[in-house]
Amino acid sequence: MNFQLTEEQIMIQQAARDYAQRELIQDVIERDEKAIYPTEHIRNLAELGFLGMLVDPQYDGGGMDTVSYVLAMEELSKVDSSVGVIISVNNSLVCFGLEKYGTEEQKEKYLKPLARGEVTGAFLLSEPGAGSDATSQQTKAIDMGDHYLVNGVKNWITNGHTASVYLLIAQTDPAKGHHGINALIVDRHAEGITVGPHENKMGMRSSDTHSVQFTDVKVPKENRIGEDGFGFKFAMKTLEGGRIGIASQALGIASGAYELARKYAMERKTFGKPIIRHQAIAFKLADMATEIEAARFLCLKAAWLKDQGQPYGIASAMAKQYAADMAMRVTTEAVQIHGGYGYVKEYHVERLMRDAKLTQIYEGTSEIQKVVVSRAIESGNI
């Protein structure tokens, strides 16, 4: 495997790094404290091409590879993973699902404005009783002939309020189990949709997270993605790519915390020397750097497999599981290295630690990824 990045990949990485270190850093603490959605930053990043970076240029996207996406996600998430998750959902869940499985009419109407960043999208799978168990959908999409009538509630929806396009997973025929689930494109402003209050989260506080209620919402039949009953497979295939995005966010969070801890350890002195020269601190940093590098290679492997058109579901599960757990360990150590300063907001590491926790929870918990990997082991695929 060639570990050398191309000139284009380096350029994309540098562009993301420059924006994050120059612009995102300026107001990240205020946005975190007040849970302010990063409207201007998302607009700017859309103009730079990051909202539809994986989409083919024929649909107005950037046509970039998944390795470039991982590099960009890491750099943005070093500073603000709230921005990272907004971009991740738009790219790896919404745009990917539409481009891979949508009709040409659906791509023309919905994918192109999403790829240009004129609008954002949201992926509506989780429910009060159907998070990790995606087969237990209680949201109903009743077939009414020329349209579906949707009723139900979705929880923990990133971009729930700001999105213009929803990709909704709903049950049409309960008797068929997961074969009775459909994926529908829904206009966020359709009659009967009620968006709940902004969730007051521990971390990633400036991302837009809401519950969404559907009451007799009419969705045209032409807005169904794939054949009748394709919705569960659509969700599972889409989440495989989504996990690469989450793993990259976790990688970025950890990498950002490590860089701050290293800088602090080189500047802070005790007993007449920088604390990085104390073995207790030096060994912490050595472990952090090694774990981050391991996570980076897992992320890049999953991305490379996807770019090569090879199966990547197991690799993305491994990357997500390891990177998320690693991010929690690394950010905790970063706070510890900072001592009392790590516990105050202006040093950033406490925010990164709070953000890291969410990567262990969404897009399937770390335990769910272990189920995916252990089943692959049992079947002889690993």
Side-chain angles (χ1 to χ4, degrees), residues 265-278:
M266 294 176 71
E267 295 172 350
R268 175 81 164 108
K269 292 183 178 181
T270 61
F271 305 102
K273 59 184 178 182
I275 63 173
I276 197 170
R277 294 184 186 171
H278 296 296

Side-chain angles (χ1 to χ4, degrees), residues 20 24 31 38 41-42 45 50-51 53 69 72-92 158-159 204 206-207 242 244-246 248-250 252-253 355 362:
L24 285 183
R31 285 187 285 106
H41 292 302
I42 295 302
L45 288 165
F50 286 104
L51 268 291
M53 61 188 300
Y69 171 64
M73 287 296 300
E74 178 182 355
E75 293 301 330
L76 295 171
S77 299
K78 282 181 182 179
V79 175
D80 188 357
S81 56
S82 291
V83 168
V85 71
I86 294 166
I87 292 175
S88 176
V89 167
N90 205 70
N91 271 289
S92 60
T158 300
N159 301 342
M204 298 193 197
S206 66
S207 69
I244 297 175
I246 303 307
S248 303
Q249 286 175 56
I253 292 167
D355 288 353
Y362 65 174

Side-chain angles (χ1 to χ4, degrees), residues 142-277:
I142 305 303
D143 190 338
M144 304 298 288
D146 63 344
H147 68 276
Y148 291 97
L149 195 65
V150 178
N151 286 278
V153 177
K154 294 292 183 177
N155 276 13
W156 316 117
I157 306 304
T158 300
N159 301 342
H161 182 265
T162 53
S164 295
V165 179
Y166 285 165
L167 295 192
L168 172 71
I169 309 300
Q171 179 67 259
T172 297
D173 189 346
K176 294 182 179 179
H178 70 274
H179 294 294
I181 294 173
N182 279 310
L184 307 175
I185 306 168
V186 182
D187 182 346
R188 144 82 176 88
H189 302 289
E191 184 177 353
I193 293 177
T194 304
V195 178
H198 184 279
E199 299 289 356
N200 189 14
K201 306 190 299 292
M202 179 176 78
M204 298 193 197
R205 289 175 49 76
S206 66
S207 69
D208 185 28
T209 307
H210 297 260
S211 62
V212 181
Q213 181 171 334
F214 296 83
T215 305
D216 292 338
V217 177
K218 292 183 179 180
V219 181
K221 255 309 179 43
E222 60 264 27
N223 280 26
R224 186 183 70 205
I225 299 175
E227 298 297 319
D228 185 32
F230 180 67
F232 180 77
K233 185 176 180 180
F234 170 83
M236 295 302 100
K237 289 295 184 182
T238 302
L239 287 173
E240 286 183 354
R243 287 173 185 136
I244 297 175
I246 303 307
S248 303
Q249 286 175 56
L251 170 63
I253 292 167
S255 186
Y258 164 74
E259 290 178 5
L260 290 168
R262 181 185 60 189
K263 181 176 183 292
Y264 181 81
M266 294 176 71
E267 295 172 350
R268 175 81 164 108
K269 292 183 178 181
T270 61
F271 305 102
K273 59 184 178 182
I275 63 173
I276 197 170
R277 294 184 186 171

Side-chain angles (χ1 to χ4, degrees), residues 131-132 236 239-244 246-247 312-325 358-377 382:
S132 299
M236 295 302 100
L239 287 173
E240 286 183 354
R243 287 173 185 136
I244 297 175
I246 303 307
Y312 59 92
I314 296 170
S316 69
M318 285 181 166
K320 197 274 182 185
Q321 172 207 322
Y322 183 80
D325 291 345
L358 188 52
T359 67
Q360 292 182 304
I361 297 172
Y362 65 174
E363 295 294 332
T365 63
S366 294
E367 289 75 19
I368 292 297
Q369 309 316 312
K370 291 177 183 179
V371 169
V372 173
V373 174
S374 63
R375 286 178 178 172
I377 293 171
I382 297 177

